[in-house]
Amino acid sequence: MFMIRQGKDRVPAIAVGVDLGATWLRAQAMRGDRPLARFTARAAPVGEVGSLFRALWRRRSWTARTVGALVVASRGVWTAGERRALARRLGNFARRVVVLSDAQAAHLGALGERPGVLILSGTGSIVIGRNPGGRWARAGGLGPLLGDEGSAFWLGQQWLRITSRGEDFRPARRLVTGPDAVVRVAALAPAVIRRARRGDARARAIVRAGQGHLAAQAADVAKRLRLGRPVTLSWAGSVCADAWFRAGLKRAVRLAGLPAHWQSPCAEPVAAAAGLAGRLAAHERALPARGRRASKERRR
């Protein structure tokens, strides 16, 4: 691992992994193999996340010299250009900064390096898969305006649609007109799932429809990646964390015609990001000084 000289001692550099979702920002720091710190805060818009990092770095007395690698798994980024743009904005926080999609980090956390499909349903939703050759494919994940079927937001939105008819629309209007409307609507999802579990016909129809959307997306991703059957499937996100919802999702996957082997997630996305940061810091340490400078120039 990259080492920082402090007098006669050699101290491993800090490696920081961040999971920036729609609702929460989670960070995990490591020094070598030792956990150093965990941090959770309300998520900020992707373009403003630097202020959260500055506050955390100041609180922990970290600098770009002491942080060997920072890996940010962010919502709202997918293309290489989007990842590079965010990495440039965060370049002053570590010697090396890497940005990837939060869905990719969730996949790496759930399945490690193994091929398979991840169904992620939290505030938003996405289905993402990777084949043995390392090629990625996705379905959904287009945000609340264009999709996110089966997500917490989608479940809450569908509930509001069927319960806010006629003159009784004021509670729904208060929810959807605030600046944090997506998060507030998504917060209805646990109650919708509880109602469905207790037999409420309206809630059960919504939940089954959401499970069906996610299952169809999983089948589509597996087909495009030509994954061998049975396909290894795992899950992530607050909605999929509900065991009753997940049991219905498994039934929906079977009905979609996708033979599946379900695997419990191995690690949280933030842990996957921290692990990748640790490996990147170790790679930096393995390079001679000239090699590190050349590697940094190539990343720019």
Side-chain angles (χ1 to χ4, degrees):
M1 175 171 283
F2 182 78
M3 308 292 281
I4 310 288
R5 272 193 189 278
Q6 295 185 355
K8 296 181 180 181
D9 298 325
R10 295 170 68 85
V11 180
I14 298 163
V16 182
V18 176
D19 175 24
L20 176 57
T23 305
W24 297 102
L25 178 148
R26 296 178 175 87
Q28 179 174 320
M30 308 287 291
R31 191 188 289 278
D33 295 329
R34 181 170 62 87
L36 189 63
R38 285 183 68 95
F39 174 80
T40 302
R42 281 283 180 181
V46 173
E48 300 173 14
V49 73
S51 61
L52 282 175
F53 284 12
R54 277 190 291 274
L56 175 59
W57 262 236
R58 192 179 305 115
R59 183 184 307 173
R60 306 294 304 190
S61 299
W62 294 343
T63 67
R65 178 170 175 77
T66 58
V67 178
L70 167 65
V71 173
V72 179
S74 174
R75 72 183 189 275
V77 300
W78 184 262
T79 68
E82 291 169 337
R83 297 195 302 271
R84 284 195 299 268
L86 182 55
R88 282 195 296 269
R89 289 202 297 271
L90 301 177
N92 293 328
F93 291 100
R95 289 178 176 268
R96 184 169 185 184
V97 178
V98 171
V99 173
L100 68 160
S101 161
D102 59 346
Q104 288 175 308
H107 191 287
L108 292 171
L111 297 174
E113 299 296 327
R114 292 181 295 281
V117 174
L118 176 80
I119 300 175
L120 190 159
S121 176
T123 301
S125 67
I126 188 171
V127 175
I128 182 170
R130 190 174 66 167
N131 69 10
R135 184 166 70 88
W136 293 91
R138 56 176 282 183
L142 299 176
L145 294 180
L146 296 178
D148 277 356
E149 294 89 346
S151 69
F153 171 80
W154 187 89
L155 295 172
Q157 179 197 56
Q158 298 302 305
W159 180 254
L160 289 176
R161 282 180 172 173
I162 67 170
T163 59
S164 302
R165 295 172 179 170
E167 296 299 319
D168 188 20
F169 63 88
R170 285 174 295 178
R173 185 175 182 180
R174 285 195 296 269
L175 278 175
V176 302
T177 55
D180 55 351
V182 170
V183 173
R184 294 174 71 183
V185 172
L188 299 174
V192 176
I193 293 172
R194 283 196 302 271
R195 285 176 177 270
R197 187 171 62 244
R198 294 169 183 168
D200 184 298
R202 297 177 300 175
R204 183 159 290 189
I206 290 170
V207 169
R208 284 178 175 170
Q211 292 163 336
H213 283 301
L214 294 171
Q217 291 174 347
D220 174 59
V221 168
K223 180 179 179 180
R224 283 190 279 130
L225 289 175
R226 299 182 179 180
L227 294 174
R229 310 301 172 94
V231 174
T232 299
L233 260 67
S234 191
W235 64 88
S238 58
V239 174
C240 285
D242 184 281
W244 183 85
F245 181 92
R246 200 164 60 247
L249 180 60
K250 292 179 180 180
R251 288 193 297 271
V253 167
R254 287 197 299 270
L255 290 173
L258 180 62
H261 167 69
W262 290 86
Q263 176 179 306
S264 298
C266 297
E268 297 176 296
V270 66
L276 178 56
R279 293 192 293 275
L280 290 173
H283 176 71
E284 290 285 297
R285 174 66 182 95
L287 290 173
R290 182 178 300 176
R292 285 198 296 273
R293 287 195 297 270
S295 177
K296 187 171 183 180
E297 290 301 319
R298 286 196 300 271
R299 291 195 298 272
R300 288 176 179 171

